[in-house]
Amino acid sequence: MHLVVCLKQIMDPELPPGDFRVDTQKKEAVRGSANLVISVFDENALEVALQLRDAAGGGKITALCVGPESAVDALRKAISMRADEAIRVREEEFPALDAYGTARLLAAALRKLEPADLVFCGREAGDWHGAIVGGLLAGELERPFVSLVAGAKRAGDAFVLRRQTDEGWETVECAGPAVISVTNDDANQPRIPKVKDNMMAFRRQIPAWGAAELGVQASEMNGPNAALEFASLGIPKSERQCQVIGGESVEEKAARLAQKLADLHVL
Amino acid sequence: MKNVVALLIVAPGGLRRTEAEVLSAGRRLADGLGGTLTAVILGATEASWDGDAAAYGADRVVHVEHAGLAEYQAEMMVEAARRVCAALQAEVCLAPSSTYGLEMAPVLAQKLGAAVVTDVIGALGEAGQVKITKPVYGGKANSELIARKAPLVLVMRARSVAVLERKAGAAAETSKLEVQLDAGLAKSRIVERKQEASTGVRLEDARIIISGGRGMGGAEGFKVLDELAGMLGGTVGASRAACDQGWVPASWQIGQTGKKVAPELYLAVGISGASQHLVGISGAKHIVAVNKDEKAPIFETSEAGVVEDYRTMIPALIEAVKKHRAAQGK
Ligand SMILES: Cc1cc2nc3c(=O)[nH]c(=O)nc-3n(C[C@H](O)[C@H](O)[C@H](O)COP(=O)(O)OP(=O)(O)OC[C@H]3O[C@@H](n4cnc5c(N)ncnc54)[C@H](O)[C@@H]3O)c2cc1C
Ligand SMILES: Nc1ncnc2c1ncn2[C@@H]1O[C@H](COP(=O)(O)O)[C@@H](O)[C@H]1O
């Protein structure tokens, strides 16, 4: 069983709003002192893959990232969580990639790898929230796509997927090979790597593939999303003013809060 | 771009807010572009949907009929949507912001060769172009995109579209479109559905929401919130941190990747106020916070707040509400 997890490296999304700046010229966030991390749901996706492999008692997990040189750190983290292999696609060779381009590069890499039974993506990247690369990738590969998966089991050649819906849960049986997107759940909290695995990962060489290795032309990767004009990026203003409700005792604060709720016509 | 299509995926019962939002967004876009809005109803149709689609502004209603669409099945739905979009020469296609709509959108776009954008909070049609506003970086920034070329697939963010007033009695030209779908297309099957228990009314429709975060410290902590919600006629929600801990069901999550809510009162308890959480409550009329850290960012978006440990504050509030009601003779 070969499982491939697509992961993106992003600026830490937990950066407090007060420290968040944008470069309106470049139309991107200013990194400043923020860390680079694996996009949150991609770690959940890797965790689902790890659990699936471990339950099956074998199989191989490959972590795949289209990213700059720095993305090696994200892939090493995946190795330290016990992915078996990791590959970086050299983003620097493909400037101004659109989501279709990313999906096509992932598809090209997948065609070069040992055939995957299940391909994992996050539900959406934690920086731009596109929520489309997984579906586009499924389309490129002509495979079924199941979104918002929280857990996966193998049943013969098929996969039994537990997925989140607006109302609750669904169990979806899906023939492999397929592409899924993963959402967070208490059952797929990413494991913390062991110290010895961190050291092992640190020493790993991560292969990088570019246009030559993938047999693609950089100029031909982008799709229809590249035609969208990116007009601007700005920080929206918030104008709420907070009234701090004080008091000598908790009871006094509570009485004042109750009065406030009554004033708001919600009591 | 003039030809706007709103995709509606049939679900049991009448048209819900999700569909009303797709139609309303579609109507406004069609008006801005000087075009028309076609409502495409995918699945076994209930007659009431026709009238509803017209009431929310559709010029035309097209039913796509096939036994394979009786229930949602991803490959069948996408293929049906692709055929109908091609047949109607759809230029802008709006998919619903539901689990299924969001799942279909990128796959459909890929098949149509369309640009695709999800989680859109503004779509303005003007001079043959669509100006798109999409929040990014967890709501800390807004991006503006301009689409000049068809086809375009859009998914609006739930609750970001003001629903148009229902025009009872409005009529639309209705037609059926038969499609041939090969049963072999279906590669997946829904084998079980489970509705998650919630307290009170659905979060999306709740007038009062009491939400708990990591600060609740455990599932136990949610019991007092439950009690308070019960008294106020509200529903309990949660931050992602609380859901990830398994303290409450994932379907209670509010935020970027959870429910988008618009209550009269949102009481945030033990929630720090990360932008990704606030994204879900931007439609709330009044936000009030209880947090033991006076520096918690949630206070910046709240109109009132109490700096206090919830473990003493919420029980005290419950007593205060009782007293207040007694004083009012309620
Ligand atoms: C792509 C992406 C999507 C996301 N989507 C969502 C989403 O949909 N919804 C969501 O909520 N988050 C989402 N997040 C996560 C978000 O960034 C935050 O991590 C999360 O909201 C934090 O939850 P919290 O406020 O409960 O926890 P914390 O940030 O840990 O805050 C806990 C708060 O509780 C207070 N507290 C502690 N003890 C007490 C006490 N006894 N009494 C009172 N107060 C106390 C603390 O002072 C603190 O302010 C997303 C993140 C990413 C990257
Ligand atoms: N550059 C990338 N490299 C690898 N995987 C990616 C990349 N960009 C997006 N993905 C995958 O696609 C998912 C959805 O991304 P997006 O559509 O950009 O929100 C992410 O969670 C990743 O799993």
Side-chain angles (χ1 to χ4, degrees):
Chain A
M1 182 172 61
H2 186 208
L3 309 175
V4 176
V5 183
C6 302
L7 32 101
K8 184 181 183 187
Q9 186 186 46
I10 64 168
M11 196 175 107
D12 189 348
E14 303 275 351
L15 188 72
D19 298 340
F20 182 81
R21 306 269 180 285
V22 295
D23 181 328
T24 50
Q25 291 296 309
K26 286 197 200 145
K27 296 171 204 157
E28 62 183 30
V30 177
R31 190 182 147 196
S33 58
N35 292 324
L36 294 175
V37 298
I38 297 181
S39 185
V40 276
F41 302 105
D42 304 357
E43 280 202 15
N44 298 111
L46 176 56
E47 179 61 38
V48 173
L50 291 163
Q51 290 177 13
L52 184 59
R53 179 195 64 189
D54 296 348
K60 184 167 96 176
I61 296 175
T62 303
L64 185 57
C65 175
V66 178
E69 184 73 48
S70 65
V72 164
D73 294 338
L75 291 166
R76 288 220 169 97
K77 168 96 191 278
I79 296 280
S80 71
M81 286 170 74
R82 304 295 311 206
D84 302 283
E85 306 283 342
I87 291 172
R88 176 174 79 92
V89 174
R90 281 191 224 106
E91 195 179 37
E92 57 274 25
E93 289 187 24
F94 306 91
L97 265 189
D98 75 346
Y100 275 88
T102 302
R104 287 172 184 167
L105 282 176
L106 292 170
L110 277 154
R111 290 191 192 103
K112 198 172 140 85
L113 289 167
E114 170 191 328
D117 298 279
L118 200 56
V119 178
F120 295 70
C121 286
R123 64 179 286 165
E124 63 186 57
D127 48 3
W128 290 90
H129 313 289
I132 54 179
V133 168
L136 295 176
L137 175 60
E140 293 291 330
L141 295 169
E142 298 186 48
R143 290 183 182 184
F145 176 58
V146 182
S147 64
L148 303 182
V149 172
K153 287 201 181 87
R154 186 105 212 224
D157 284 341
F159 293 94
V160 178
L161 308 168
R162 197 171 100 89
R163 75 109 133 224
Q164 200 180 310
T165 66
D166 300 322
E167 313 294 336
W169 294 98
E170 268 174 18
T171 308
V172 179
E173 229 174 67
C174 185
V179 180
I180 64 172
S181 81
V182 171
T183 191
N184 58 298
D185 184 65
D186 58 328
N188 64 28
Q189 290 308 298
R191 61 194 62 186
I192 311 290
K194 297 200 179 79
V195 174
K196 76 169 182 12
D197 291 334
N198 276 331
M199 284 160 61
M200 172 273 294
F202 185 70
R203 289 191 298 267
R204 274 289 278 275
Q205 288 301 310
I206 310 286
W209 292 349
E213 288 87 348
L214 295 170
V216 299
Q217 294 280 328
S219 59
E220 287 168 5
M221 298 317 288
N222 274 349
N225 272 33
L228 295 171
E229 181 193 322
F230 186 6
S232 70
L233 180 72
I235 297 180
K237 297 246 178 316
S238 139
E239 64 300 325
R240 298 217 199 206
Q241 263 291 329
C242 184
Q243 170 199 350
V244 178
I245 296 176
E248 292 296 311
S249 63
V250 180
E251 286 71 26
E252 199 178 330
K253 289 180 187 175
R256 287 190 183 150
L257 179 55
Q259 184 55 50
K260 173 80 190 172
L261 298 183
D263 295 345
L264 297 177
H265 306 290
V266 288
L267 257 205
Chain B
M1 284 193 269
K2 282 179 180 305
N3 203 348
V4 183
V5 161
L7 292 181
L8 308 181
I9 303 166
V10 164
L15 202 108
R16 298 155 308 183
R17 191 183 160 99
T18 317
E19 288 82 32
E21 287 184 9
V22 187
L23 289 162
S24 301
R27 182 67 262 162
R28 288 197 186 92
L29 255 180
D31 287 344
L33 294 167
T36 55
L37 174 65
T38 308
V40 170
I41 304 183
L42 297 165
T45 53
E46 301 201 16
S48 69
W49 284 50
D50 292 355
D52 282 337
Y56 288 114
D59 301 304
R60 280 195 294 172
V61 179
V62 176
H63 291 288
V64 184
E65 305 247 307
H66 191 279
L69 302 175
E71 271 211 330
Y72 178 82
Q73 198 293 316
E75 289 78 45
M76 299 287 248
M77 282 287 174
V78 168
E79 182 54 17
R82 183 190 73 75
R83 299 261 185 103
V84 69
C85 284
L88 296 172
Q89 298 182 326
E91 291 170 301
V92 186
C93 172
L94 290 157
S97 62
S98 60
T99 309
Y100 298 150
L102 279 160
E103 177 170 88
M104 285 173 66
V107 189
L108 174 64
Q110 198 271 346
K111 294 196 190 302
L112 293 170
V116 51
V117 188
T118 70
D119 204 23
V120 172
I121 60 165
L124 191 70
E126 216 177 50
Q129 307 179 349
V130 181
K131 229 173 115 182
I132 300 163
T133 308
K134 174 183 166 74
V136 293
Y137 294 108
K140 292 198 272 273
N142 277 340
S143 67
E144 301 276 353
L145 305 165
I146 300 170
R148 296 200 170 82
K149 264 171 58 184
L152 173 67
V153 174
L154 295 179
V155 185
M156 304 298 297
R157 171 181 288 180
R159 280 278 179 187
S160 73
V161 180
V163 169
L164 290 172
E165 200 168 325
R166 208 178 171 287
K167 277 206 205 111
E173 174 197 324
T174 303
S175 60
K176 283 200 166 89
L177 193 87
E178 300 276 344
V179 291
Q180 301 297 320
L181 296 174
D182 175 5
L185 275 177
K187 296 282 186 295
S188 67
R189 196 162 62 93
I190 299 169
V191 293
E192 196 194 344
R193 280 207 173 86
K194 228 170 82 193
Q195 211 134 315
E196 199 83 76
S198 70
T199 66
V201 270
R202 279 159 39 101
L203 278 170
E204 294 92 328
D205 308 324
R207 205 179 136 261
I208 292 174
I209 296 175
I210 318 285
S211 255
R214 201 196 310 270
M216 303 314 290
E220 195 62 24
F222 275 84
K223 287 204 177 133
V224 278
L225 299 190
D226 216 25
E227 188 184 341
L228 180 61
M231 283 178 75
L232 302 182
T235 301
V236 180
S239 73
R240 173 174 152 174
C243 296
D244 278 357
Q245 301 290 327
W247 299 338
V248 294
S251 56
W252 292 16
Q253 183 177 318
I254 290 167
Q256 168 82 34
T257 45
K259 302 263 151 77
K260 311 291 188 296
V261 298
E264 290 279 310
L265 171 69
Y266 188 82
L267 180 63
V269 186
I271 292 177
S272 66
S275 61
Q276 294 90 349
H277 183 77
L278 301 180
V279 155
I281 59 172
S282 60
K285 190 152 173 214
H286 305 291
I287 300 173
V288 177
V290 174
N291 196 301
K292 70 173 183 189
D293 174 9
E294 62 178 337
K295 292 205 180 68
I298 187 73
F299 290 124
E300 285 159 35
T301 6
S302 304
E303 80 178 70
V306 186
V307 182
E308 192 59 71
D309 191 316
Y310 88 87
R311 276 173 285 219
T312 47
M313 186 62 205
I314 302 299
L317 180 60
I318 289 172
E319 288 314 309
V321 168
K322 281 184 192 155
K323 270 195 201 139
H324 184 92
R325 284 189 172 161
Q328 305 278 305
K330 285 189 198 163

